[in-house]
Amino acid sequence: MNQYNNQVRSNRRKTRSGNRNDAGKNGFLSVLLFYVLPFIVINGLIFFLVTSRPKGEITIGESSDYISTTMELKIKSLLPVNSMEVALNGSPVEMTKTGFKTYSAVLKSNGTLAVKLTCFNKMKTVLDEQVDVLDDTPPVIKDNIVENGILSFRLEDSQSGVDYSSISACDEDNQDIAPLSIDRSTGRVTFELIKDNLNITAKDNIGNELHVTITPQGESIEEEETPDVQTEDQAES
């Protein structure tokens, strides 16, 4: 056997070995591409569809009049949301669609805003946001002083402000007593304290009303709010 024949046989063996290696690689790639990867992708997609929860973002706007404000809800889920329930302090809020996956509503009271989103796969998400930009409290009296029969105090309202034209007082004999002086820059108000107690009334600029009784010692006794008759009837029923 000559050298040429040896080289041919050696090349044949190498070619057969290379073909077997290529066939093995091709078989592995086929299994990976047509079985393993589709299995991973399909099961991952199923897991995502089954377990994905809806997502949203709530934005509470500023209030220019302290009476009402707006809220905006943006749905940030890739999957469709089947139902949406919005409530403020337990009362339903009517939503208006303003854009793609964007909704808005007008709010007229402070409290807890709850948004319940339900995805098509029955998964739920509850979003909570506190609304506190509206003015629902009356002015407050501070720094009460009684000297030589003159009552002096400060009125404060951190939101809509004090309506100084609404300040008045009454006692047992006089139903309409005007202040002796009002300093709007400091909120300082003075009254002549004639009788034992003086009943002070004041409003803020959107109508929240303060009722307080000042004693001769300068102590303030705020009146309790009268319960709503309709609320009482509903409670009794």
Side-chain angles (χ1 to χ4, degrees):
M1 184 179 294
N2 57 31
Q3 184 177 359
Y4 175 78
N5 291 333
N6 290 335
Q7 290 178 350
V8 171
R9 291 176 182 175
S10 176
N11 289 336
R12 287 177 181 175
R13 286 195 295 269
K14 291 180 180 179
T15 301
R16 292 194 189 101
S17 176
N19 290 337
R20 286 196 297 269
N21 290 336
D22 290 342
K25 290 180 180 180
N26 291 335
F28 174 77
L29 289 176
S30 297
V31 172
L32 180 64
L33 291 175
F34 296 105
Y35 295 97
V36 177
L37 290 180
F39 176 82
I40 294 174
V41 171
I42 292 174
N43 282 275
L45 181 60
I46 293 173
F47 180 80
F48 172 76
L49 293 175
V50 171
T51 62
S52 180
R53 292 181 179 273
K55 298 178 182 179
E57 180 182 82
I58 301 173
T59 302
I60 305 297
E62 296 294 330
S63 178
S64 59
D65 56 7
Y66 296 100
I67 299 175
S68 64
T69 186
T70 58
M71 64 86 64
E72 183 181 70
L73 172 64
K74 291 183 179 179
I75 306 297
K76 294 193 170 183
S77 301
L78 295 176
L79 302 179
V81 173
N82 276 9
S83 67
M84 175 176 58
E85 300 175 22
V86 182
L88 179 62
N89 298 325
S91 299
V93 175
E94 183 178 352
M95 303 294 293
T96 302
K97 189 170 184 178
T98 57
F100 180 66
K101 293 187 177 181
T102 304
Y103 302 83
S104 67
V106 176
L107 307 179
K108 295 185 177 181
S109 63
N110 290 325
T112 301
L113 183 70
V115 177
K116 182 179 179 181
L117 303 175
T118 304
C119 195
F120 86 102
N121 59 3
K122 307 303 181 182
M123 297 297 286
K124 296 178 175 62
T125 296
V126 177
L127 307 173
D128 292 324
E129 191 73 23
Q130 197 68 27
V131 182
D132 55 7
V133 297
L134 305 181
D135 188 356
D136 56 5
T137 57
V140 294
I141 284 182
K142 293 187 175 182
D143 303 333
N144 308 341
I145 300 174
V146 176
E147 292 181 347
N148 300 322
I150 302 298
L151 168 65
S152 173
F153 57 84
R154 286 190 306 107
L155 278 175
E156 290 186 359
D157 189 281
S158 60
Q159 291 184 299
S160 63
V162 178
D163 178 7
Y164 291 99
S165 64
S166 69
I167 302 173
S168 64
C170 65
D171 58 23
E172 295 179 357
D173 297 332
N174 299 286
Q175 294 302 310
D176 189 8
I177 303 174
L180 293 177
S181 65
I182 298 176
D183 187 344
R184 294 173 181 255
S185 62
T186 62
R188 178 68 61 181
V189 181
T190 61
F191 277 94
E192 185 179 6
L193 191 61
I194 301 175
K195 295 293 184 178
D196 290 341
N197 294 327
L198 192 64
N199 302 314
I200 308 293
T201 300
K203 297 180 181 180
D204 62 16
N205 286 315
I206 63 170
N208 295 312
E209 190 168 18
L210 166 73
H211 294 279
V212 64
T213 299
I214 306 295
T215 67
Q217 292 75 32
E219 299 176 351
S220 58
I221 306 172
E222 293 190 15
E223 297 180 6
E224 295 183 358
E225 295 183 359
T226 303
D228 188 2
V229 176
Q230 183 177 358
T231 304
E232 288 184 348
D233 293 340
Q234 291 176 351
E236 291 176 357
S237 61

